[in-house]
Amino acid sequence: MRKKQFKAESKKLLDMMINSIYTHKEIFLRELISNASDALDKLYFRSLTDDSVHLNRDDFYIRITPDKENRTLTVSDNGIGMTAEELENNLGVIAKSGSQTFKNEQGENENADVEIIGQFGVGFYSAFMVSKKVQVISRAFGSDEANCWEADGVDGYVVYPAQKETVGTDIILYISDNTDEVNYDEFLDTYRLTALVKKYSNYIRYPIKMESETSRPVEGKEGEYETVKEDKTLNSMLPLWKKNKSEITEEEYDAFYKEVYYDYEAPIRVIHSKTEGQATYNALLFIPAHAPFNYYTKEYEKGLQLYSKGVLITDKCADLLPDHFNFVRGLVDSEDLSLNISREMLQHDHQLKLIAKTIEKKIRSELARMLSTDREKYEKFFDAFGNSLKFGVYNDYGMHKDELQDLLLFKSSNEEKYVTLKEYTERMKSDQTAIYYASGETVDKIKMLPQTEAAKDKGFEILYLTDYVDEFAVKTMMQYAEKTFVNICSAEADFDTAEEKEKLKEDNASFEEMFGFMKNVLGDAVQTVRFTHKLKTHPVCLSSEGMLSADMERVLNSMPGNQGVKAELALEINENHPIAEKIKDLYASDREKLTRYTKLLYGEARLIGGMQIDDPTEFATLVCELM
Ligand code: ADP
């Protein structure tokens, strides 16, 4: 029999499959099962209008038959089948949709093979990743003849008449010999095959059957077992997410989540939605109750499982989730993406983008709902994943801040409980013009900041920012409800009346020389020295002048590759504290002593602000001298 040549692209693809070093060769089974399922669909639809089909919905099946002795694996279906002509047309060239993507991708990308295989499969030819020879014996519906298509490499295929009693297709794979790298035997193993069906094809709507051996007690003979062959359906067929919400119990959702996503704890929230319109899809999403152990490591990958008509396309589709919702787990199943169309998505992935956009919205509104209806749960959620939201506000130059700001929680000076920005602004005092916050390593350290006194005295609530991302997020938002965020340790935090401000300005002006002297003592450590009214009992504090607060300096400098950034600081002295008179006296009588006092005051301000002393030895010596 003369071999017929494959079309050029098919040859290239086939060659790629035969020589594939792709590690997930296992996906060939998913591809063949999907093709079988399509063939069953075709005959089933036909049966709806054509009485000669003589098959009911329940009669359709896919069967997997491993034969260890002959090293073959057969995937059969009783679907529509193919005529000799169809065998040639369908299997001699890659299906149009596939080939188009393949051609385009090949030109641009060296790694295209791995990507195409991994994400979207490559249809029938993937069989050659695990086989040295493939036979397709098929009998088309309405025909009494069967034919066999056969190929064992790139140099061509043959089609010849064959025997087949029933309508449908048998794909017989002659499994490759084991190599040092790959143990092909696994594709003849019933356990392995069962696992593969469950992983990739669990929700195919026709039963996928396999005969497997099980051992069971012999009736009437205690302690004796016999091995019997049993037909088993490997797939569960009905995807949970395709059922009506009202028919699914909480336990079912929880069990599904735990089983599929390997979590011991039930999710804190289940989002199950059907969306129709521009993008038609089913989404089943879960918000875990706790962060997975690798959440804060580089290993953690965000993403949702992507199904097309119940067939798993990819286990982690990262594009479906924005970074700020990277903690969400779950899946999306879209009817719009048949396995064929899905390949096209590689180029035209606007469909996927559309889905991602609506999913983002959905998650956001569900979180907002949880916040307003189940505060306790939301706070638990926020403890686990709040950081992601705060990063989301700060990332991409604040692009998402408007959507995320109402989902944020901060601890505050009001009973140290969580507060939303909305709650904060709504209960602001009438004479309060800004949203005040303070940042530091812990709430306790923040509470000790001298600058908190004046704000608290005024009855102003202070947000306590203790996460290193907090202040960056706040700086990105700049405002909320037209109120500006103000760090109480910055020069902007000024609670004086206009009159008091004027007086302070005058006082500071009249001691300009003295402050100039003190600033010289401290050198670059501070920008300026001045009197302040913002302290009550404390004598001194350090306030930040520019964009960068002292705490941001601490955070930035603790990061790897830091560039030794410096916040611009002002040493502020409590004008109403006895120390103010003392330094005025010393400036007039003993400059040498003032020099030492200035250093002491600066060191004290650092300590109380939760910062480290620049020169601890000098500081200690000065304290001793004083004693
Ligand atoms: P795709 O499935 O993406 O169209 P394939 O290369 O997997 O591409 O298959 C090519 C074509 O061969 C299919 O479109 C279908 O018409 C036909 N085919 C494959 N497997 C079967 C089968 N089991 N029964 C009937 N037709 C099949």
Side-chain angles (χ1 to χ4, degrees), residues 269 362 364-374 407:
R269 191 89 176 175
K362 185 83 206 159
R364 205 166 1 109
S365 68
E366 280 294 326
L367 287 175
R369 195 193 321 226
M370 176 156 67
L371 174 60
S372 64
T373 59
D374 195 342
L407 295 175

Side-chain angles (χ1 to χ4, degrees), residues 35-36 39 42 77 80-82 90-91 95 123-124 169 171 340 343:
N35 280 348
K42 284 178 196 159
D77 66 73
I80 193 93
M82 284 176 274
N90 293 342
L91 306 182
F124 169 72
T169 305
I171 309 224
N340 289 341
R343 291 186 194 126

Side-chain angles (χ1 to χ4, degrees), residues 33-238:
I33 288 174
S34 295
N35 280 348
S37 170
D38 288 346
L40 293 172
D41 272 344
K42 284 178 196 159
L43 190 55
Y44 169 64
F45 286 127
R46 183 84 178 246
S47 74
L48 300 177
T49 53
D50 186 341
D51 289 340
S52 67
V53 176
H54 300 304
L55 285 171
N56 291 318
R57 182 72 176 75
D58 296 341
D59 299 329
F60 295 103
Y61 66 87
I62 297 165
R63 177 174 290 284
I64 301 177
T65 317
D67 178 344
K68 279 192 177 160
E69 247 158 71
N70 297 308
R71 286 184 69 78
T72 60
L73 178 67
T74 305
V75 180
S76 316
D77 66 73
N78 59 345
I80 193 93
M82 284 176 274
T83 62
E85 202 182 333
E86 282 167 334
L87 280 169
E88 193 146 313
N89 288 339
N90 293 342
L91 306 182
V93 278
I94 335 172
K96 276 207 183 70
S97 54
S99 65
Q100 201 48 39
T101 312
F102 178 67
K103 256 202 291 197
N104 296 350
E105 286 289 314
Q106 270 287 298
E108 292 158 15
N109 189 350
E110 282 288 291
N111 292 326
D113 57 341
V114 171
E115 265 168 44
I116 299 179
I117 300 170
Q119 284 229 308
F120 301 106
V122 282
F124 169 72
Y125 286 166
S126 61
F128 286 92
M129 285 199 290
V130 297
S131 323
K132 46 190 180 191
K133 179 167 103 177
V134 177
Q135 285 178 329
V136 181
I137 300 172
S138 195
R139 180 168 151 190
F141 171 72
S143 159
D144 0 306
E145 303 167 1
N147 289 282
C148 179
W149 177 100
E150 183 182 313
D152 59 3
V154 285
D155 39 275
Y157 61 90
V158 287
V159 178
Y160 54 88
Q163 285 297 312
K164 192 172 184 320
E165 294 306 312
T166 51
V167 168
T169 305
D170 295 335
I171 309 224
I172 306 166
L173 310 181
Y174 292 81
I175 298 295
S176 304
D177 301 326
N178 292 335
T179 63
D180 289 345
E181 287 82 37
V182 191
N183 172 29
Y184 290 97
D185 283 353
E186 61 174 305
F187 301 122
L188 296 165
D189 179 75
T190 51
Y191 284 103
R192 181 79 174 115
L193 292 167
T194 305
L196 288 179
V197 169
K198 282 211 188 307
K199 178 172 179 188
Y200 292 107
S201 314
N202 202 21
Y203 305 112
I204 290 284
R205 284 158 303 180
Y206 300 97
I208 303 168
K209 297 182 184 187
M210 184 167 66
E211 202 172 69
S212 53
E213 292 184 344
T214 39
S215 127
R216 67 172 184 207
V218 181
E219 233 174 283
K221 293 189 183 162
E222 205 155 310
E224 258 185 61
Y225 286 83
E226 60 181 352
T227 306
V228 287
K229 288 195 169 173
E230 250 178 6
D231 226 8
K232 278 192 188 149
T233 297
L234 310 178
N235 54 330
S236 79
M237 290 191 273
L238 184 67

Side-chain angles (χ1 to χ4, degrees), residues 487-534:
N487 187 333
I488 54 152
C489 295
S490 74
E492 284 164 84
D494 188 344
F495 310 121
D496 281 353
T497 59
E499 224 169 284
E500 288 167 329
K501 278 193 179 102
E502 194 50 40
K503 181 178 173 296
L504 186 65
K505 212 167 141 192
E506 279 167 23
D507 291 354
N508 274 331
S510 50
F511 291 97
E512 206 181 319
E513 249 178 63
M514 175 182 81
F515 290 135
F517 174 84
M518 293 172 78
K519 144 87 186 124
N520 271 342
V521 169
L522 298 173
D524 286 342
V526 298
Q527 291 304 103
T528 177
V529 183
R530 63 176 170 239
F531 284 136
T532 184
H533 290 159
K534 74 169 71 140

